[in-house]
Amino acid sequence: MYLRVTSTRNSPRKSVKVVESIREGFKVKQVMILHVGIASNESEIEKLKQIGQEFIAKEQLRREKNSQQSSLLDTETMEERLDTIKKNIKFKKSGRKQTIKLVDVTAENQISLSDLVEEKRIIEGFHDIAGHVYDSIGYQTLLKREKDNDLLKDLVLMRLAGPVSKLRSQQILDARFSKKHDLDLIYRAMDKLCPKIDELKQKTFHQTQKIIPDTIDVLFFDCTTLYFESVETDEMRQFGYSKDHRFNTTQVVLALATNSDGLPIGYELFEGNKAEVKTLLACLTSWKKIFNIQSVCFVADRAMMSDDNLKMLEQENHHYVVAAKLRALPEKLISEILSEKNYQAQMINEDFGWVGEFDYKERRLIVSYKTARASRDLYQRDQVIQKLKKRIGEAGDTKKLITNQGVKKYTRSENSKTMIDQDKIEKDAAWDGLHGVITNISEEQAPAILAKYARLWKIEESFRINKHTLSMRPIYHFKPERIKAHIALCFMAFSVLRHMEYQVKLTQKISLEAMLDELTHVQASFYRHVPTGKIYRMPGKFSQNASKIYKAFQVKRNNHAQVIV
C-alpha cells in the first residue's frame, strides 16, 4: 500500500488516496483502498498524507495479526488470498452491504411486536467519535484505576453532549448513555484529577505537537475571566476586572494558548485579581517546566504589551507579535503614524490596505489601515454619540450622563453643563481604520507579520467555545481543588472538541455545531423480548453527515441489529 496524490484538469484541488498494487499473473493492478480527502494547498496535502500513513500502518498491523492467526488453520495459497481481496474490493464498489434487520437475528415465528418492550434508547455517537479522540490524546491513562478513568471519560464527553452540573451529568449519563456512576465517586474522581493536571497538560501539548510534527512555531495567547455565583473570597476567588461585566461576583482568570489552527497548547488558572499583563510571564515560567517549548512566536493582544513582557520574551529568544497601544505612544511618533505619506499600498491577507513601518525602542512598529475597519470605527462612534445626545438632551443635563470613559471622551463640561465636544470627535476620527503591532521579527515582510496577528481570532473563538458551548462558567464549586478540577475537565473537553473539529475539516465541510448535533442523533434502541428475556440492540437512523464524520476518523459503526443477551 502507498499514497497517491491525483489532480483534475483545470482544478487546483488534489485528492489523496491509499492505493494498493495487486498482481494477476504478469500484470499488476492498482486498487484504491481509501479516499483520504481533498486538499486545496500543500499544507492540507501534508496533513492528509499523515492521515493516510496512519491508516496504512494500522491496516498492515491488522493484516499481519490476521495472517498469524489464520496461518495455523488455513492452507489458502497466495493466489487464492489475492482472489479473495479482489472479490471484496469489487463487492465494495458495487454498493453497500445489506443491513441486518431485527428479523434476521430472531426466529420470525417466535417474535411478536407485542412481546417487545423498549428498555432504553442511548446515545452512542459521542463515545464512538469523541471517545476515540479522547483515547488518542492519552487521557484514558491519567488515573490509576480503570473505573476512575472510565468515569473521567464519561464526565468529559458529557461536557460535549450537554454541559450541566455534576449532579445533572450523573442523571443524564444514566438516562441517555447507560452509564451509571455514584455522585460521590464523581467528586472523588475530580479530587484525583487535580494532582494530575500537569500530566494532562503534557498529553494535550504532545498531541498537538504530534499532529504538526515539525514544530509549534506560532503560539496565540490571551486571557479571560470566569465568574462564580458567589461573593465569598479565598485564595482563588477574588474580585477583579470582569470581561463578563460581572463586577458584583468573584472570579478567576484563565490564560489559554493555542496554535494557528486553534488546537490547544496549554492553560493556566490564576486568582481573580491577577492583572492580565502579568499572566504571560507566569505562564511561560510554568510551561517551561512542563513542556519542551523551543523558540516560538507569541501572538497576543494589547493587554500583554509591557516592556517587562517583551524583554522577557527577547531574553528567552522568542519572537512576538503584540498589538500596540498607538494612542499611548510618544507625540512625535503619533504624528508620524497619522501622516499619510508614511504608508504604502499592500495586500494584507488577500485584502487591500495601507502599511507603514516605524521604529519604537529598537523594535518594529507596523501600522496598517483598512477601509472596512475605518467604516466600522465610524459606525461604532456614531452609535455612541447618538445615544449620548439622547441621554444628556439639549440642556446638557450632567446627571443623565453615563459615567464611563468610552462616552466621556466625546464630551466636555462648562458651567455645570455637559455638551458634545466636536474637537474630541475629530481627534478620535483621525485613528479610524488604524491598527498597529510591535514585533522583534526582522526577517519577515510586514504583511506576513500582520497575517500572523490576524489569526488571533482563533483564541477568541476558543474562549467562546469554552464559555458558551462547554459552559465553563458560572462556576459553582468553592474548594480550590474542585475549581481547578472543573477547569481541567472543561479543558479536556475543549481539547477533544478542537481535535475533532480539526480532523473532520481535513476531509469534510461540517461545522462544529452540526457535528455535535449529528453525534447526538447517533443512537440505538434496546428491546427486551418478554417471553425469553433476550435483549436486542437496534441501531437508529445513521445520517449521511454522521457517516462522513465516522469516516473522517476511520471508525466503523455497527449499523446491524444484534442480540445482546
Side-chain angles (χ1 to χ4, degrees), residues 362-420:
E362 299 182 353
R363 302 177 180 120
R364 291 174 71 188
L365 172 62
I366 303 173
V367 182
S368 64
Y369 172 88
K370 287 186 178 181
T371 305
R373 189 191 297 141
S375 299
R376 184 178 67 249
D377 293 342
L378 173 62
Y379 174 78
Q380 291 175 347
R381 182 173 56 255
D382 284 347
Q383 291 293 104
V384 173
I385 291 173
Q386 292 302 319
K387 290 181 180 179
L388 188 58
K389 287 180 177 179
K390 292 180 180 179
R391 176 71 65 173
I392 63 177
E394 295 295 330
D397 189 353
T398 306
K399 294 180 179 179
K400 295 183 178 180
L401 181 63
I402 302 173
T403 56
N404 72 52
Q405 297 299 323
V407 171
K408 290 167 68 176
K409 68 179 182 179
Y410 299 130
T411 63
R412 60 186 173 87
S413 298
E414 289 183 5
N415 300 323
S416 300
K417 297 291 182 182
T418 301
M419 58 199 72
I420 303 295

Side-chain angles (χ1 to χ4, degrees), residues 109-152:
N109 59 350
Q110 294 180 2
I111 292 295
S112 171
L113 290 178
S114 60
D115 292 334
L116 289 176
V117 178
E118 186 180 48
E119 291 280 294
K120 55 189 173 181
R121 184 174 302 173
I122 67 171
I123 300 171
E124 297 182 334
F126 284 98
H127 281 77
D128 285 349
I129 300 302
H132 171 79
V133 175
Y134 181 97
D135 293 342
S136 68
I137 297 175
Y139 292 151
Q140 79 280 7
T141 59
L142 272 175
L143 305 181
K144 291 182 179 180
R145 297 175 65 231
E146 184 177 350
K147 288 185 177 180
D148 290 334
N149 282 312
D150 291 341
L151 170 54
L152 184 63

Side-chain angles (χ1 to χ4, degrees), residues 316-334:
E316 298 290 338
N317 295 320
H318 294 303
H319 288 154
Y320 55 80
V321 179
V322 180
K325 300 174 182 178
L326 296 180
R327 306 189 193 201
L329 297 174
E331 288 295 331
K332 183 179 178 181
L333 185 55
I334 286 177

Side-chain angles (χ1 to χ4, degrees), residues 182-283:
D182 184 78
L183 185 61
D184 289 336
L185 294 180
I186 289 177
Y187 287 118
R188 288 179 191 173
M190 293 180 66
D191 294 337
K192 293 176 182 178
L193 174 63
C194 194
K196 298 288 186 178
I197 288 178
D198 283 351
E199 185 179 344
L200 80 84
K201 290 179 183 177
Q202 284 181 328
K203 290 180 181 294
T204 305
F205 174 79
H206 291 150
Q207 180 66 13
T208 299
Q209 196 175 40
K210 177 183 174 182
I211 288 180
I212 306 175
D214 297 333
T215 182
I216 297 175
D217 55 351
V218 180
L219 190 152
F220 295 86
F221 181 89
D222 203 357
C223 290
T224 192
T225 56
L226 306 170
Y227 65 86
F228 296 79
E229 293 292 356
S230 170
V231 294
E232 296 183 13
T233 60
D234 54 31
E235 61 184 83
M236 292 296 298
R237 297 179 295 171
Q238 295 288 337
F239 289 98
Y241 176 79
S242 172
K243 293 192 174 183
D244 295 311
H245 307 290
R246 296 294 296 264
F247 300 103
N248 58 335
T249 59
T250 54
Q251 64 179 22
V252 289
V253 175
L254 175 69
L256 179 67
T258 72
N259 71 355
S260 56
D261 291 305
L263 298 177
I265 302 295
Y267 81 95
E268 290 296 326
L269 194 64
F270 300 97
E271 59 274 15
N273 56 1
K274 183 82 170 181
E276 274 191 58
V277 71
K278 296 181 180 179
T279 57
L280 180 58
L281 177 59
C283 286

